[in-house]
Amino acid sequence: MKEVTNVVMASDYPGKKVSSKRQRRNEVKMKVAAYVPIKLHNSRMPGKNIKSLSDGTPLCRLLFRTLGAVSNIDEKYCFCSDEKIIDYLEPGIQFLKRSTRLDQDNVRCDEIIRSFVDMVNPDIIVLTHVTSPFVSIKTIETCVDKVVSGKYDSAFTVARVREFLWENGKPLNFDASCTPRSQDLPEIYRETNGVFVFTRDVFEKMNRRVGETPYLCVLDFPEIIDINEPADFMVADVVHTDRQKQGVSSC
């Protein structure tokens, strides 16, 4: 896990006063609430969220176990319209019933966030997905701590991309007339679905989950695994099976 800092804060320098906003954060206990949005019927890969791995463990339990063990989140919810998911919850995770309207394929992410915020009234929101089953306790706690500190208004997980990229027949990140070595390509980052942490202010003002001063938490394999297709599930199954044989916790 590696920090990417792309914003210099005045408070980073000795002798500078801490902003009143940041000072208020330190003085007032902020309510940190996490939610795992889940639906039991997916169009791309039906039933993937509760699909069993080779040892019989439902996929969703890996993330529920990890989130349940995170120490710096006040409330943790599975946000689902179907009460059948209750049978899959782990200690520390509460069921929060959402509208079936949010299960529709055309529903945007911000609509689901809005519903959760209105129901729970958190100061800081933590969003995780069961399709990123290998995100660690440390990663989640780090992202939460960064936002709670007030230095960052949001945090999210990313993966490095050092590949030759093209768009509309033109290279995006290199000069085709003088092709560089792959290790000399600029380091670009793509979002993973592992963790998003953001203040309510960010969402209320910008209607999004990443603010203007984000912390980028760089992950490596297998934390970057995101399950969308059957092949992704197969990779996750192999990783989980290998971890079980080695006695390594998925947290």
Side-chain angles (χ1 to χ4, degrees), residues 85-141:
I85 196 64
I86 293 175
D87 293 336
Y88 298 88
L89 299 184
E90 291 287 321
I93 310 298
Q94 304 177 66
F95 171 71
L96 183 63
K97 190 166 186 176
R98 74 187 197 184
S99 169
T100 55
R101 182 188 68 80
L102 298 177
D103 294 340
Q104 298 175 16
D105 290 338
N106 61 349
V107 171
R108 301 187 311 275
C109 175
D110 63 277
E111 294 179 80
I112 300 175
I113 296 172
R114 168 55 61 196
S115 178
F116 176 76
V117 168
D118 288 346
M119 293 174 73
V120 177
N121 194 32
D123 297 300
I124 294 176
I125 301 101
V126 182
L127 168 60
T128 65
H129 298 86
V130 299
T131 50
S132 294
F134 302 114
V135 169
S136 68
I137 295 171
K138 181 180 179 181
T139 291
I140 298 174
E141 290 183 343

Side-chain angles (χ1 to χ4, degrees), residues 164-222:
F164 295 93
L165 305 178
W166 291 73
E167 183 180 41
N168 297 324
K170 296 181 180 180
L172 283 177
N173 61 337
F174 68 100
D175 182 355
S177 64
C178 184
T179 305
R181 299 180 304 167
S182 58
Q183 61 263 43
D184 293 331
L185 288 170
E187 200 163 86
I188 299 174
Y189 302 93
R190 65 169 177 85
E191 292 183 7
T192 77
N193 278 323
V195 187
F196 290 88
V197 182
F198 49 99
T199 66
R200 182 168 182 167
D201 284 346
V202 164
F203 181 69
E204 296 287 2
K205 295 176 182 178
M206 309 175 75
N207 198 45
R208 65 191 201 192
R209 59 193 180 183
V210 176
E212 295 180 332
T213 56
Y215 170 82
L216 276 62
C217 184
V218 184
L219 303 183
D220 293 307
F221 188 85

Side-chain angles (χ1 to χ4, degrees), residues 55 62 65-66 134 136 222 239-251:
D55 68 346
L62 299 185
R65 288 171 185 169
T66 298
F134 302 114
S136 68
V239 171
H240 176 67
T241 299
D242 186 59
R243 286 185 163 197
Q244 293 294 98
K245 290 179 179 177
Q246 296 183 40
V248 177
S249 170
S250 292
C251 301

Side-chain angles (χ1 to χ4, degrees), residues 19-37:
S19 69
S20 58
K21 183 176 181 179
R22 184 173 174 186
Q23 188 172 4
R24 285 196 300 273
R25 286 180 187 273
N26 295 332
E27 293 173 351
V28 179
K29 176 69 171 69
M30 305 188 78
K31 177 179 175 180
V32 181
Y35 80 99
V36 183

